[in-house]
Amino acid sequence: MTIHTEPLKSVSDIERTTLMTFLPGRIATMFGGRRWRSLAPLAVLVVLCLLIAIANPNFIELRNLVRLANSAAVPLTLAMGLTFIILMGSIDLSVEGTLSVSAMVVVLLAANDSNGNDYGWWAVLAAIVAGTAMGFVSGLVQTMLRIPSFMATLGMWFIGLGLSVYMLGGSAIRLNDASIRELALARFLGLPLAVWVATGAFLLAAVIQYHTKLGRHILAIGGDEDVAKLSGVNVVRVRVTAFALAGFFFGIAGVLAAAQLGQSHAVIGDGRLFAAVTAVVVGGTALTGGEGGVVNTLIGVLIVTVLANGMILLGISPYIQQTVQGLMIIAAVALSLDRVRLRIVK
Amino acid sequence: MTAMLSASGIIKNFPGVQALRDVSIEVRPNEVVGLIGENGAGKSTLMRVLAGSYRPDGGSLTLDGEQLRMRSPRDAARHGIGMVFQEQSLVLNLTVAENIYLGEEDRFTRFGIVNWRAMNAAARRQLAKIGIDIDVTARTSELTFAARQMVELAKALTLEEVVERQLLILLDEPTSVLNAADIEVLFARVRSLKSRASFVFVSHRLDEVLATSDRVYTMKDGAVVAEHRAADVTAPELHEIMVGRGLQAEYYREARQQAPRGTVMVEAKGLGANGAYHGVDLKIRAGEIVGIAGVVGSGREEVTRTIGGFLQHDAGEMKIAGDAVRFASPEPAVRRGIGYVPRERRLEGLVMFLSIAENISLADLSSVMRHGAIDYGKERRLAADWIKRLRIKAPGPDAACRKLSGGNQQKVVLARWMTAGSRILVLDHPTRGLDVGAKEEVYELVRDLSAQGVAILLISDTLEETIGLSHQVLVMRDGEITARFDASPGNKPNQVELLRAMV
Ligand SMILES: Nc1ncnc2c1ncn2[C@@H]1O[C@H](COP(=O)(O)OP(=O)(O)OP(=O)(O)O)[C@@H](O)[C@H]1O
Ligand SMILES: [Mg+2]
């Protein structure tokens, strides 16, 4: 037989097979060490936690861990949506715009200090629908008008931002609906509900990515769109669905953000895009598409959040913190990508 | 026998080109049909029409006597027609099983959840049926080209699980990236599958076509010009019909081979690179052609890539025209006058959106500059000259490369490197995908260059070509040179001698 595969040198096969039996194929592949690089983010996370814990033992106090989980909730939910887009080899810059629209919708429709509405959980539903709709529109603009996702979503960012600031009348409006505020205030098993919502978002994203046709087609498009098309994948439908899905997650994140702040204002989305992109990239999802996934992103979000939390604990100036985050995103791309194999850098 | 699929009067127009004019062919049950023709004759276009990815502008298709209208490859699949494309068409970041069932996940899906275990099992069964042993959970990017080709074949054959009728499998140049042993395996599969499917396959290797098919269609300029039973025709006859002139006895122009007398241009002593090869000694003089034979993994590809500047050596030394060098990238290699004609021409060789003229002058713009500016007239004349010489089928020098047929794109890349005025030329499978007529032109050109004193390192798909062209043949196995043969005219080694040193 002259036909054979050439498995890349790596972890022993035995180790791989035992892992394989426990995990679905793709995740097992990731941890099976076919590419040692995919384990790097996890190692970074562990080392980071150890270093911070040594420098300041308060880090591993229960109170701090809860705070950490709480501050990871919104970024995690956002990054779940963004992961699908980046996996396709596209980008969604509308994160902040969509989040602010969704936060605006929930605040204005639920009990608030500006108008007489009091639709309760219908407001939450409406906010998520609004987010999904914005993603859907981004997807349509990209596929039907054939505008690159970068431009299409850059436009949606500012449309969303403008819309929400206009509707809020330029000021902060308080969210008075007690049951929605519970998302941030009430706890279950010691953790705020928002953390559970984010966990749910992660599980949902994981199921979509690893167990559905949509997830696989997103990966295929990121790998080679032409081939996917030839194989009968409906590329337009997958793209539009993926953007709508991302909008759905941004919508949930908007509700969580409004609940956590107890209000909505013009700058509720500030900095969220950077944090989400950093988390996805630091987790090891390739910007070129086709590599990585939501499990990577979970680790990425934890790295970003732990680092931010650690720097606060160590009393580092906020400006330095920003600089560190900027360095981190470049370093992550440098380490995670097989740049030698990347033929062109644009 | 009645036809299974018949196409009649098929017409396909592209802007400015009529790719198919009134083509009629038929395929019978359990039959292997060969399709040959020069580069740009319209073979791939016809296959794509049969596979539903192009809609014809005229003519009709019938399948088992019924009118057939297809709007997409999906429609074709529903009718039991599958295709393996000229360019490889697997998604490299997916696993083998995921590729085989890409677009067909519904069969394994319940309540929106895909059952990967069932999919892997089905893929394993499918591969077992055609007798291939490949790990279905392996990433496709980790497979060899040959293994990928088998996966593509398996993918096309999965149609039999969903379609009642006999399958029709279209193979567009399935063998051009395979070596001899793998081609044998592929054709053994095709023959053994004949009871379950009919095949149409395109190839430029006439012997291979005759050995495998029952009938052969010959295309020229978008029309079928001949149809033969494979038993009734010989390769030289087909060659004549295709090219319009007889096969020259002197295919490799051996009479023009002269003893090299120039200085040593490339010299390697104990060269080695990162486990890929080691202890390689070789010398190429000006005007000399050195061929390296060896199977995939023998290290010969890596040796050529080292000289081209794509792979750094880490042992021994390499001298170019007497100077010791170690290339970290192709750029210094180009500066030292080394031209590298890459094998993956579509990936490494062409800027698809530029025109033929712009692509040809890319490596050596100075040749078309005047007073510090690009002389467009000169650039177009240069390109027009090459179009004539290599018989590139294109509307003109300004045609965009992305619209050319696969073989014509390769000719453009060849033209570029041959024009770049290199003193050393590395030819990595220079005739892959070229039609027989164009191959002869390339051989003629190689002799011209050699006569002008260019030192040439050659690796090729066939031993015949290696032996025919070279002054000296080196054989590599497992990263080492295992034999050296003098190949001066009248003293050429035979293939058996080479094979013995290869395996
Ligand atoms: N998408 C396209 N746009 C414009 N012209 C095209 C396109 N595809 C093919 N052609 C033209 O149609 C003709 C037939 O091309 P085709 O690819 O069918 O040739 P082929 O016989 O497969 O050649 P090869 O042996 O080189 O693969 C060529 O002249 C080519 O330039
Ligand atoms: Mg072709």
Side-chain angles (χ1 to χ4, degrees):
Chain A
M1 181 91 292
T2 48
I3 306 302
H4 56 269
T5 60
E6 297 173 342
L8 298 184
K9 45 265 151 194
S10 64
V11 184
S12 77
D13 279 351
I14 308 152
E15 234 167 296
R16 189 140 103 210
T17 31
T18 33
L19 270 163
M20 285 291 208
T21 47
F22 291 117
L23 298 164
R26 186 156 295 282
I27 310 183
T29 309
M30 188 179 121
F31 290 110
R34 281 201 223 172
R35 325 185 79 209
W36 61 268
R37 280 193 179 87
S38 55
L39 280 183
L42 193 58
V44 168
L45 179 61
V46 172
V47 170
L48 202 60
C49 288
L50 285 176
L51 288 181
I52 297 174
I54 292 167
N56 187 343
N58 288 341
F59 175 73
I60 40 175
E61 259 182 23
L62 190 61
R63 248 188 40 213
N64 187 53
L65 291 180
V66 170
R67 188 185 308 142
L68 218 151
N70 201 28
S71 56
V74 173
L76 180 66
T77 313
L78 284 175
M80 287 299 110
L82 193 62
T83 303
F84 288 110
I85 305 300
I86 293 183
L87 267 184
M88 277 196 307
S90 299
I91 185 74
D92 193 336
L93 298 179
S94 73
V95 171
E96 296 179 10
T98 308
L99 180 133
S100 67
V101 165
S102 144
M104 172 273 285
V105 168
V106 74
V107 168
L108 288 185
L109 292 184
N112 63 74
D113 68 357
S114 155
N115 60 29
N117 289 337
D118 186 5
Y119 294 102
W121 283 82
W122 290 109
V124 171
L125 188 67
I128 296 174
V129 168
T132 312
M134 282 189 63
F136 185 71
V137 172
S138 294
L140 285 182
V141 169
Q142 196 221 349
T143 53
M144 297 301 165
L145 301 182
R146 304 197 60 74
I147 292 175
S149 59
F150 180 88
M151 274 337 255
T153 56
L154 185 68
M156 289 307 282
W157 176 2
F158 278 73
I159 292 171
L161 206 59
L163 197 66
S164 50
V165 173
Y166 174 76
M167 294 298 288
L168 293 172
S171 59
I173 294 179
R174 284 171 51 89
L175 174 65
N176 290 335
D177 186 308
S179 74
I180 297 175
R181 292 249 28 209
E182 290 281 275
L183 279 176
L185 304 176
R187 289 180 180 221
F188 175 68
L189 296 181
L191 289 171
L193 287 183
V195 175
W196 293 107
V197 171
T199 308
F202 165 71
L203 291 177
L204 177 67
V207 167
I208 292 174
Q209 193 196 334
Y210 300 112
H211 294 285
T212 69
K213 204 169 95 174
L214 176 67
R216 183 51 32 87
H217 286 177
I218 285 174
L219 212 56
I221 289 175
D224 194 328
E225 184 162 342
D226 289 331
V227 174
K229 213 181 281 173
L230 281 178
S231 304
V233 174
N234 186 333
V235 172
V236 170
R237 191 163 68 201
V238 173
R239 283 193 167 278
V240 173
T241 313
F243 274 97
L245 185 67
F248 169 79
F249 283 110
F250 301 162
I252 297 179
V255 172
L256 293 184
Q260 282 183 342
L261 287 171
Q263 60 177 2
S264 183
H265 49 64
V267 292
I268 191 166
D270 271 18
R272 307 267 191 199
L273 173 67
F274 184 84
V277 174
T278 311
V280 173
V281 170
V282 167
T285 297
L287 285 169
T288 41
E291 274 323 315
V294 294
V295 172
N296 294 71
T297 299
L298 172 65
I299 295 169
V301 169
L302 291 178
I303 292 177
V304 172
T305 324
V306 164
L307 189 67
N309 177 279
M311 288 192 293
I312 293 170
L313 284 184
L314 302 180
I316 294 170
S317 134
Y319 303 111
I320 301 283
Q321 291 181 25
Q322 274 194 354
T323 310
V324 169
Q325 284 172 343
L327 287 174
M328 183 168 63
I329 194 165
I330 293 171
V333 175
L335 289 175
S336 70
L337 258 179
D338 208 347
R339 277 161 306 125
V340 184
R341 287 220 323 240
L342 202 66
R343 286 180 300 110
I344 290 167
V345 179
K346 274 188 188 169
Chain B
M1 217 191 310
T2 57
M4 172 182 167
L5 176 99
S6 74
S8 62
I10 301 292
I11 293 172
K12 177 71 195 174
N13 298 314
F14 290 115
V17 195
Q18 188 165 31
L20 297 177
R21 49 188 102 200
D22 192 17
V23 170
S24 303
I25 68 161
E26 60 176 48
V27 184
R28 298 164 193 159
N30 309 319
E31 188 185 38
V32 179
V33 173
L35 187 61
I36 60 172
E38 290 179 282
N39 296 130
K43 304 177 297 292
S44 297
T45 308
L46 178 60
M47 299 285 260
R48 282 172 186 259
V49 168
L50 299 183
S53 57
Y54 284 162
R55 246 187 288 180
D57 298 316
S60 65
L61 297 171
T62 56
L63 185 67
D64 293 333
E66 282 168 38
Q67 192 77 5
L68 182 61
R69 277 212 188 73
M70 299 180 291
R71 254 171 286 117
S72 67
R74 263 210 112 95
D75 282 350
R78 263 196 285 279
H79 289 102
I81 302 175
M83 177 156 174
V84 175
F85 291 89
Q86 185 169 3
E87 306 84 36
Q88 294 224 335
S89 54
L90 296 174
V91 185
L92 296 183
N93 61 334
L94 300 188
T95 69
V96 170
E98 287 164 359
N99 262 299
I100 291 179
Y101 290 106
L102 184 60
E104 295 292 330
E105 293 85 352
D106 283 344
R107 290 166 45 198
F108 306 97
T109 305
R110 271 177 70 195
F111 310 119
I113 302 294
V114 181
N115 183 345
W116 300 120
R117 205 178 290 257
M119 181 186 282
N120 288 341
R124 225 170 270 131
R125 270 199 307 280
Q126 200 48 245
L127 287 169
K129 263 197 250 173
I130 57 172
I132 306 288
D133 179 27
I134 295 176
D135 176 10
V136 297
T137 59
R139 270 175 67 114
T140 314
S141 57
E142 293 170 13
L143 303 187
T144 60
F145 270 110
R148 289 183 207 167
Q149 202 86 49
M150 293 297 169
V151 172
E152 293 210 50
L153 183 63
K155 178 174 175 174
L157 284 169
T158 56
L159 287 177
E160 72 182 359
E161 296 171 359
V162 285
V163 180
E164 283 299 316
R165 54 158 51 99
Q166 223 201 4
L167 300 187
L168 174 63
I169 306 292
L170 310 169
L171 304 164
D172 194 354
E173 293 193 39
T175 58
S176 55
V177 293
L178 303 187
N179 62 20
D182 292 328
I183 290 174
E184 214 15 77
V185 175
L186 179 72
F187 284 120
R189 301 281 170 257
V190 167
R191 281 191 292 268
S192 71
L193 290 164
K194 244 171 82 170
S195 57
R196 312 210 316 253
S198 294
F199 293 86
V200 179
F201 88 97
V202 174
S203 169
H204 288 296
R205 302 184 195 182
L206 305 183
D207 300 329
E208 175 182 296
V209 174
L210 285 176
T212 312
S213 25
D214 300 304
R215 268 181 326 121
V216 182
Y217 285 103
T218 309
M219 290 186 71
K220 200 176 167 79
D221 295 333
V224 169
V225 292
E227 178 198 345
H228 294 97
R229 293 211 353 236
D232 301 342
V233 68
T234 63
E237 283 164 6
L238 287 178
H239 181 278
E240 171 138 22
I241 296 170
M242 262 173 69
V243 185
R245 59 178 146 83
L247 182 63
Q248 310 223 357
E250 266 277 284
Y251 199 45
Y252 298 107
R253 307 293 187 270
E254 288 167 28
R256 296 191 55 200
Q257 183 169 330
Q258 294 166 352
R261 57 212 173 290
T263 52
V264 176
M265 296 298 291
V266 180
E267 182 172 11
K269 270 211 198 92
L271 204 64
N274 196 20
Y277 61 86
H278 51 269
V280 169
D281 296 333
L282 67 84
K283 256 188 207 168
I284 313 175
R285 297 171 176 283
E288 188 178 26
I289 304 169
V290 173
I292 308 183
V295 298
V296 174
S298 63
R300 64 173 186 158
E301 324 268 339
E302 287 80 3
V303 171
T304 54
R305 292 185 81 76
T306 300
I307 296 175
F310 292 89
L311 177 71
Q312 252 185 79
H313 61 275
D314 51 21
E317 69 168 353
M318 177 163 78
K319 282 185 184 163
I320 300 296
D323 303 333
V325 292
R326 191 152 171 271
F327 299 133
S329 74
E331 198 250 319
V334 172
R335 257 191 291 117
R336 290 202 174 253
I338 299 176
Y340 184 90
V341 177
R343 171 179 34 158
E344 295 279 333
R345 280 175 265 246
R346 287 179 59 90
L347 291 182
E348 299 172 3
L350 273 186
V351 185
M352 288 292 176
F353 281 87
L354 294 185
S355 70
I356 297 179
E358 287 161 335
N359 264 297
I360 291 180
S361 60
L362 196 59
D364 187 19
L365 269 176
S366 60
S367 69
V368 295
M369 300 272 256
R370 216 177 41 189
H371 313 308
I374 295 175
D375 180 344
Y376 288 96
K378 203 167 166 190
E379 187 178 48
R380 299 186 68 235
R381 276 194 301 282
L382 177 75
D385 186 42
W386 279 106
I387 288 174
K388 209 160 78 219
R389 235 180 129 175
L390 290 183
R391 316 206 303 171
I392 299 175
K393 201 159 178 291
D398 300 326
C401 281
R402 107 193 98 89
K403 291 189 177 165
L404 299 182
S405 79
N408 284 308
Q409 290 174 346
Q410 306 212 1
K411 292 182 188 176
V412 173
V413 184
L414 270 175
R416 171 194 311 154
W417 289 113
M418 304 223 161
T419 209
S422 313
R423 293 178 303 154
I424 299 164
L425 208 53
V426 180
L427 301 178
D428 186 351
H429 303 274
T431 59
R432 177 171 283 179
L434 295 197
D435 65 54
V436 283
K439 273 186 190 155
E440 283 185 79
E441 301 294 337
V442 170
Y443 299 148
E444 188 77 49
L445 201 65
V446 167
R447 290 289 177 225
D448 287 349
L449 292 165
S450 154
Q452 289 161 20
V454 176
I456 296 172
L457 180 67
L458 167 78
I459 59 178
S460 123
D461 292 308
T462 66
L463 287 177
E464 211 188 313
E465 187 175 287
T466 312
I467 297 169
L469 283 176
S470 309
H471 290 88
Q472 198 197 136
V473 180
L474 311 179
V475 182
M476 287 187 70
R477 184 180 62 212
D478 299 334
E480 278 177 325
I481 293 184
T482 51
R484 294 166 191 271
F485 295 92
D486 172 52
S488 45
N491 188 27
K492 299 265 178 194
N494 65 35
Q495 301 196 15
V496 181
E497 288 177 274
L498 258 63
L499 274 170
R500 209 172 293 139
M502 275 165 66
V503 291

